[in-house]
Amino acid sequence: EAGVVQSPRYKIIEKKQPVAFWCNPISGHNTLYWYLQNLGQGPELLIRYENEEAVDDSQLPKDRFSAERLKGVDSTLKIQPAELGDSAVYLCASSPDSGSYNEQFFGPGTRLTVL
Amino acid sequence: GNSVTQMEGPVTLSEEAFLTINCTYTATGYPSLFWYVQYPGEGLQLLLKATKADDKGSNKGFEATYRKETTSFHLEKGSVQVSDSAVYFCALSVSTTDSWGKLQFGAGTQVVVTP
């Protein structure tokens, strides 16, 4: 079974430029998560999707971040414009549903460097 | 709010030594508890979990017991190998309206095992 796929794995951009990250979850997983992981810290949830609906985006900085999950499968996370403080690893995870006891399966992440 | 505190690293051990990583939590309701591991260059993987008090999760020689009275979920392994070198994250998830399906992570503990 294929795992969660993310691309690109690494991205270097100048500040104020836009950037987008793509995630393909495990087939059949209805719930998709985007996490932000700063260096030396644990991941923090940005947004959670149930199928194509964003059901928890309270931690997403909506002035510059946006996300979509068209057709309830793949998802894209966008930052426009990027700031120096956005340098981090962006993780995508998926699970069959969002029960608190359910395992979340993580992709390898996209490491973003903003210069 | 919900939070997870785990011991700071790095923890450096010799092969075959005993490993303990302390994890304590604060949560409303009854959380499920998890240990995730992140090997170099890879995504987070679920190592073990426990969904109710006194449950013991175990996998690959690692164990952790859900202790409600001390709000702890310490990770242990009796004899570590070089291949156990990784970053270990303690996490919780609660089934409340504002936290449904959300994993709250600790900061992570880096473990380095030397031959």
Side-chain angles (χ1 to χ4, degrees), chain B residues 14-96:
Chain B
S14 297
E15 208 164 22
E16 300 183 1
F18 184 86
L19 170 67
T20 298
I21 305 176
N22 291 337
C23 171
T24 57
Y25 67 88
T26 302
T28 55
Y30 300 97
S32 295
L33 301 173
F34 306 82
W35 277 101
Y36 278 80
V37 58
Q38 188 172 32
Y39 298 105
E42 299 183 16
L44 279 78
Q45 305 172 23
L46 179 67
L47 182 59
L48 53 84
K49 70 177 183 181
T51 58
K52 62 182 187 295
D54 299 326
D55 270 1
K56 177 185 284 187
S58 60
N59 186 27
K60 300 181 180 180
F62 290 88
E63 293 184 340
T65 301
Y66 187 164
R67 300 289 189 195
K68 184 179 176 183
E69 63 276 12
T70 55
T71 61
S72 65
F73 193 54
H74 305 322
L75 183 68
E76 298 180 336
K77 186 174 185 182
S79 177
V80 294
Q81 305 300 313
V82 172
S83 58
D84 293 324
S85 297
V87 181
Y88 293 81
F89 292 92
C90 185
L92 67 81
S93 180
V94 294
S95 299
T96 57

Side-chain angles (χ1 to χ4, degrees), chain A residues 9 33 35 37 40-43 45 48 56 59 91 98-104 106-108, chain B residues 32 34 36 38 41-44 46 49 51 89 93-95 98 100-103 105-107:
Chain A
R9 291 292 308 274
Y33 312 79
Y35 287 87
Q37 185 177 18
Q41 298 182 24
L45 182 69
R48 172 169 66 92
D56 182 0
Q59 303 302 310
L91 299 169
S98 61
S100 65
Y101 46 83
N102 281 342
E103 176 181 359
Q104 294 182 22
F106 284 80
Chain B
S32 295
F34 306 82
Y36 278 80
Q38 188 172 32
E42 299 183 16
L44 279 78
L46 179 67
K49 70 177 183 181
T51 58
F89 292 92
S93 180
V94 294
S95 299
D98 61 344
W100 190 267
K102 174 182 176 180
L103 276 173
F105 286 90

Side-chain angles (χ1 to χ4, degrees), chain A residues 36-114:
Chain A
L36 166 70
Q37 185 177 18
N38 286 306
L39 186 65
Q41 298 182 24
E44 299 173 14
L45 182 69
L46 289 173
I47 188 168
R48 172 169 66 92
Y49 281 93
E50 295 290 346
N51 297 303
E52 67 275 8
E53 182 181 0
V55 295
D56 182 0
D57 62 357
S58 57
Q59 303 302 310
L60 189 72
K62 298 181 184 63
D63 57 336
R64 297 184 301 108
F65 286 65
S66 64
E68 62 182 10
R69 191 184 184 197
L70 300 177
K71 300 181 181 178
V73 182
D74 295 358
S75 178
T76 303
L77 178 68
K78 298 178 181 178
I79 309 174
Q80 182 171 9
E83 298 179 351
L84 295 176
D86 296 331
S87 295
V89 177
Y90 292 82
L91 299 169
C92 180
S94 70
S95 65
D97 60 53
S98 61
S100 65
Y101 46 83
N102 281 342
E103 176 181 359
Q104 294 182 22
F105 295 81
F106 284 80
T110 296
R111 182 177 297 277
L112 173 67
T113 301
V114 182

Side-chain angles (χ1 to χ4, degrees), chain A residues 6-12 19 21 89 108-113, chain B residues 41:
Chain A
Q6 290 188 247
S7 68
R9 291 292 308 274
Y10 304 91
K11 188 73 176 180
I12 301 173
V19 64
F21 315 124
V89 177
T110 296
R111 182 177 297 277
L112 173 67
T113 301

